[in-house]
Amino acid sequence: MDAFLSSTLLVALGEIGDKTQLLSLALVVRYRKPWPILAGVIVATLVNHGISVWFGDWLADTIPTDWLRWILGLSFIALGLWMLIPDKDEEVGDKYRFGPFLTSLVLFFIAEIGDKTQVATVALAVRFQEFWPVLLGTTTGMIAANLPVIWVAHRLASERFEVWAHRISAALFIAFGVWALI
């Protein structure tokens, strides 16, 4: 349960103000079909984070435990510092080549490659070494962060909110990094 809750919390907070929320908003504005967009987000996250959790489990089995503690702690601190750097806005483009589900799936999968959330998912898998709780937790966190955007973020979004969300997320990642080192 620890792995699930920690994964959910870190990803949900880490995604606030992230480019994937901007992508969700852009897709909803373009297609005006929230259910296929949400489904695309879920499938993309399950595939991307599934690969990440598998990689984290492999690292945990391969790298000596003493090294893992330092790598994990420093990774979370680095992620926290990385959270302080604002994301660049990414555009969806003007052409309607595919429908909302496939477009969401592909764009979210690509947006998550090398993203903070993917790196955090690997680190969480190394920390907890529990495949399903980490995968379901990070996926739940992604849904928790993007679901409100898909339906109501256009009313709540502001630059000030995004700045504070990034700061809180950064502090949590740094705290988890220090906790892993202790």
Side-chain angles (χ1 to χ4, degrees), residues 115-135:
D115 190 56
K116 294 173 281 230
T117 308
Q118 187 180 42
V119 176
T121 301
V122 171
L124 287 162
V126 168
R127 166 71 177 88
F128 292 106
Q129 297 180 24
E130 296 180 47
F131 184 88
W132 289 109
V134 172
L135 175 60

Side-chain angles (χ1 to χ4, degrees), residues 3-179:
F4 175 80
L5 292 175
S6 296
S7 299
T8 299
L9 180 67
L10 274 175
V11 170
L13 292 174
E15 283 296 308
I16 295 173
D18 191 65
K19 66 185 172 198
T20 53
Q21 286 188 320
L22 299 174
L23 181 57
S24 291
L25 182 60
L27 288 166
V28 169
V29 168
R30 170 190 267 188
Y31 291 107
R32 301 194 188 281
K33 295 186 180 200
W35 290 111
I37 292 168
L38 180 61
V41 170
I42 292 169
V43 172
T45 303
L46 284 169
V47 172
N48 188 294
H49 290 193
I51 294 167
S52 300
V53 174
W54 171 82
F55 181 66
D57 283 346
W58 176 81
L59 283 176
D61 291 338
T62 307
I63 297 176
T65 307
D66 291 340
W67 288 23
L68 277 178
R69 186 176 68 110
W70 283 97
I71 292 169
L72 180 64
L74 295 174
S75 295
F76 275 124
I77 291 170
L79 282 167
L81 296 173
W82 188 7
M83 295 286 303
L84 296 172
I85 301 169
D87 288 329
K88 296 178 183 173
D89 291 347
E90 296 190 9
E91 295 187 22
V92 177
D94 292 334
K95 294 187 177 183
Y96 293 98
R97 190 167 194 181
F98 303 107
F101 172 76
L102 189 56
T103 301
S104 299
L105 190 152
V106 170
L107 290 178
F108 263 83
F109 185 84
I110 291 170
E112 283 297 301
I113 294 174
D115 190 56
K116 294 173 281 230
T117 308
Q118 187 180 42
V119 176
T121 301
V122 171
L124 287 162
V126 168
R127 166 71 177 88
F128 292 106
Q129 297 180 24
E130 296 180 47
F131 184 88
W132 289 109
V134 172
L135 175 60
L136 296 176
T138 59
T139 302
T140 301
M142 182 68 78
I143 294 165
N146 283 285
L147 187 61
V149 173
I150 291 173
W151 276 277
V152 298
H154 62 283
R155 294 185 184 142
L156 301 175
S158 72
E159 190 173 313
R160 186 173 171 184
F161 173 76
E162 185 176 334
V163 168
W164 278 104
H166 269 97
R167 288 178 182 165
I168 291 168
S169 298
L172 284 171
F173 273 104
I174 291 170
F176 268 96
V178 170
W179 176 65

